[in-house]
Structure formats: structure tokens, C-alpha cells
Amino acid sequence: MRMLVGFLVSAFIFTAIACGSSSYGPSSNPPASCTGSGASVTIDATGSFTFSPASPPAIVAGQKVCWVNNSGFAHTVSSGTAQTMPSDDGMFIGGALPNGSTVVVTFSTAGSYPFHCNVHLPPTYNMTGTITVNP
Ligand SMILES: [Cu+2]
């Protein structure tokens, strides 16, 4: 029995270490990633209902931003400042960001692009950020 417990602990530790690497077994689902999206900036939609970073370093017109959600919660990437009701000002096309997904947006025109999550709205949440696009 003691050996079995030791084995299980070892197996758990091995599994935990293995999950930290970039290789996954055929039956496991790798977490969503922005790797390979070509994006210059990655923004994490978190389980504490924030975007991280909320205001990433400026990109240049024509570059991409990738939002990734491995939080276990559903989020959205919606254009404009957050309102108390779901809203989207249409300055860019984001969309639903369910757990395990990514949204990649190409920003072709210089400007300041606020974004927010339409699930986690004020006054309860402040799930917002801004993309700055330089010419
Ligand atoms: Cu959200």
C-alpha cells in the first residue's frame, strides 16, 4: 500500500511536470495558444475577469493582436468601451472568446481601440483594455 501511494504521488508529479511542457499526449487537449497566429501581442482573458495586459505595448498598423482564453470562463472580445449592457461600437471585429479559444484581429488603421468583455460588465467587473496602433 505504501508503495502504491508512493507510485501515485510520483505519477502525479510527473504528470504535473509533463503538463508544463509543450508536448501533449494524444488523448489530452492542449490549452489554446496564440503561438502560430502571427500576432505581435498576446492578451490573456483571465479567470479573475481581467485582460492581461489590459494595455499592451503599441503595435504598428497591419499587425495582429491575439486574445486567448484558458480561464475556464466564457468571455468576449468586443470593440469599444464597456457599458452596463452588452455593446460593440464596430471599430473592429472581435467576437466570442469561449474557454479554450483565441480571437485574432488585424488592426489596419492607426488609432486607439478600447475593448471589453460583454459577459463581465461594469459596475461589477472592469474587464477592459485598449489597443494602441501606430502608423
Ligand atoms: Cu469576461
Side-chain angles (χ1 to χ4, degrees), residues 21-110:
S21 77
S22 58
S23 61
Y24 298 89
S27 61
S28 64
N29 292 317
S33 168
C34 290
T35 304
S37 68
S40 302
V41 161
T42 291
I43 298 173
D44 190 32
T46 75
S48 40
F49 315 114
T50 60
F51 288 108
S52 182
S55 297
I59 62 171
V60 173
Q63 291 185 324
K64 297 175 185 171
V65 173
C66 178
W67 285 263
V68 60
N69 179 8
N70 289 307
S71 69
F73 298 91
H75 298 296
T76 75
V77 177
S78 301
S79 181
T81 55
Q83 312 294 320
T84 54
M85 298 290 283
S87 65
D88 192 313
D89 70 3
M91 292 297 289
F92 70 88
I93 306 298
L97 186 66
N99 183 52
S101 73
T102 62
V103 166
V104 180
V105 175
T106 302
F107 288 87
S108 303
T109 306

